[in-house]
Amino acid sequence: MAATESTIDPQQPVVALDDAAFGRACALTELPSGNPVSADNSTVVRYSGVIDAIWTIGKKLHGGTMVATSAAAAARGLRAAHPESAEMLPIAASTDFLGAPDPGRVDYEVRVRKAGRQICLVDVDLVQEGRTLVHTAFTFGRVDDAPPVYVPESHTDMPTEPTADAVAYGPDSPMRIAHLSQGASVAIDPIWARFLAGEQGKPQLRLWIRPRPADEQDPEVAVYFAMMAGDMSPPVSMNLGRFGWAPTVQLTTHLHRRPAPGWLRVIATTPEVGERMFVQDQLVLDATGAVIAQTRQLALIPLPR
């Protein structure tokens, strides 16, 4: 989750713009397996990759990006072991964050738990400097490939592209702690984001996000980007005046279909904000209005200042 401080660290990592910035984060190199069989006798395949400082919130890696790059590792490991699963995509992911990785090299340990005709199960540990910091259990299947038969009206009242008053992410914006604008175009709706005006409002937010052209044109990368977008919103609790780091305890991601080209819309809401924890739901819609992905995360309320 994109946590934003009321006083923002002015230090902004600058990385050369790349038309395939997200694709680079998803690029993997296979490593020697070392211990090829885990304790439960499942085969372990290892990959390495680099997630650079573009994909950070403050100084730490963005959670949704790590889910997406882990999905890329899971897909590669599954297809290598079971080529018949090539058409499957990660339709569900359950992620636990055991630590906060830094930008740079990360390794992935991939275990195929089940390979079936309809459903496959794959576990991925994201490892940095010998420590497992993120664990994700993936379910692979075939996504919908036809238009939805029903779309709620509440999904269609958000403009398909950023409005004229939308606040673009960037080094000079109030959202500059989120560095993802170096690798994608991101903007937030100020009508819903009352905290931007120093006000309070309903705990709900709306954003727009679009990958760079080369990432959008790569069908596989576009899928992983949509999964990442499900973790793009700042904490909705900010509209209640609760600023600061809202660490994610657990994140669940569902992938419904491949995205159409164009802007993705992210709608963040909550069923409840408590004193210790809150739940944040995020819908990711594409330019057609179809739900591409959705997430639910359990996060801790920032401590009062």
Side-chain angles (χ1 to χ4, degrees):
M1 182 183 301
T4 303
E5 302 286 342
S6 56
T7 301
I8 298 174
D9 184 348
Q11 203 167 24
Q12 167 83 5
V14 177
V15 180
L17 291 178
D18 187 330
D19 201 37
F22 199 73
R24 186 174 64 237
C26 295
L28 304 169
T29 300
E30 187 169 358
L31 299 172
S33 295
N35 178 18
V37 179
S38 65
D40 63 355
N41 293 321
S42 58
T43 302
V44 178
V45 182
R46 300 173 63 240
Y47 301 99
S48 70
V50 175
I51 308 177
D52 62 35
I54 289 176
W55 309 108
T56 56
I57 307 296
K59 297 180 180 179
K60 295 295 184 176
L61 288 179
H62 172 242
T65 297
M66 292 186 287
V67 173
T69 59
S70 294
R76 180 162 170 179
L78 176 62
R79 293 165 185 170
H82 302 278
E84 68 277 10
S85 67
E87 295 183 0
M88 292 187 178
L89 290 172
I91 60 175
S94 178
T95 304
D96 294 299
F97 297 92
L98 311 178
D102 295 310
R105 173 175 168 167
V106 294
D107 294 339
Y108 305 90
E109 296 182 353
V110 179
R111 299 167 178 82
V112 177
R113 301 293 191 188
K114 172 188 174 180
R117 289 181 295 176
Q118 298 294 326
I119 295 294
C120 297
L121 304 178
V122 184
D123 285 2
V124 178
D125 288 336
L126 185 150
V127 179
Q128 192 171 66
E129 296 182 352
R131 295 178 56 213
T132 297
L133 298 180
V134 180
H135 172 78
T136 305
F138 289 98
T139 300
F140 277 74
R142 290 171 176 82
V143 296
D144 283 332
D145 56 5
V149 297
Y150 169 74
V151 177
E153 291 182 4
S154 60
H155 295 177
T156 61
D157 62 356
M158 181 179 179
T160 57
E161 297 185 359
T163 54
D165 60 347
V167 178
Y169 281 36
D172 298 322
S173 82
M175 308 304 297
R176 60 185 176 273
I177 194 172
H179 306 129
L180 291 76
S181 62
Q182 296 179 57
S185 299
V186 190
I188 190 168
D189 182 356
I191 302 301
W192 282 34
R194 301 314 307 159
F195 69 88
L196 291 176
E199 301 172 359
Q200 294 192 16
K202 293 181 180 180
Q204 57 185 25
L205 297 167
R206 302 197 304 191
L207 301 92
W208 296 267
I209 181 169
R210 185 171 187 173
R212 298 207 177 277
D215 288 331
E216 185 175 70
Q217 293 162 14
D218 185 318
E220 193 85 354
V221 173
V223 163
Y224 301 140
F225 187 90
M227 296 179 69
M228 178 275 289
D231 189 39
M232 262 309 301
S233 174
V236 294
S237 58
M238 291 174 60
N239 266 352
L240 301 177
R242 301 299 293 265
F243 295 92
W245 183 41
T248 299
V249 177
Q250 208 277 342
L251 173 64
T252 300
T253 305
H254 290 168
L255 177 70
H256 293 221
R257 61 187 70 244
R258 293 179 180 273
W263 287 90
L264 298 174
R265 290 167 279 177
V266 181
I267 303 172
T269 57
T270 181
E272 181 185 69
V273 176
E275 285 297 323
R276 291 177 55 86
M277 297 179 291
F278 69 104
V279 170
Q280 181 154 323
D281 296 322
Q282 298 181 69
L283 281 176
V284 180
L285 314 177
D286 70 3
T288 72
V291 175
I292 302 304
Q294 63 184 111
T295 65
R296 167 164 282 193
Q297 56 188 292
L298 178 66
L300 301 181
I301 289 284
L303 295 175
R305 296 190 172 188

